[in-house]
Amino acid sequence: MKTLSKNNVTLNLIIQIILILIVNSIVFVAISKSIQIKFIVLTGITTLGLIWIYKRYKNTYNLFFNEKYLNLKNRKRERNINLKNIKKIKLTLSDMRIMGLQYYEYKIEFTNENGIFESIRFFISDMNSKLWEFQDLVKKNSSNIVIENKASS
């Protein structure tokens, strides 16, 4: 099994925590001067944010692959997607830099085990990426694959 994106869960958590902190900071400045109202509103926003993070955390996978399957793993579940079922690999407009490393977000669209169309997003760094090898394997296994390595809206 080769690693496509092993830090996907961690990177998604970082983004969500940063968003909650930004929203809390904006609300703290914007709300009236009453400290009690600020406390109640900020507690509510933080609680909703933590619920949102937990739901996203449960549904975020780290990605691995071999010659036949894309393997999606998280703490509770492991899924195998046949490379033949992958329809599209696309670079999205999202990227981020953490501690000097550039990360890019990709989206994979596929038909799941039940024949339902699904997609998954994952982050890869510009260092040690096996993305090109993965794309070559998918091209070999799927004749109608669409690969977009340029971000567009």
Side-chain angles (χ1 to χ4, degrees), residues 123-141:
F123 285 96
I124 60 165
S125 71
D126 51 0
M127 296 177 57
N128 301 327
S129 173
K130 303 261 189 225
L131 179 67
W132 311 118
E133 184 179 344
F134 173 70
Q135 287 180 353
D136 289 340
L137 275 173
V138 174
K139 283 179 194 175
K140 287 179 189 174
N141 284 287

Side-chain angles (χ1 to χ4, degrees), residues 15 91-96 102-106 121 123 151:
I15 292 171
L91 175 65
T92 68
L93 294 172
S94 298
D95 65 338
M96 66 177 152
Q102 184 70 38
Y103 290 91
Y104 302 95
E105 185 183 44
Y106 272 82
R121 293 176 181 263
F123 285 96

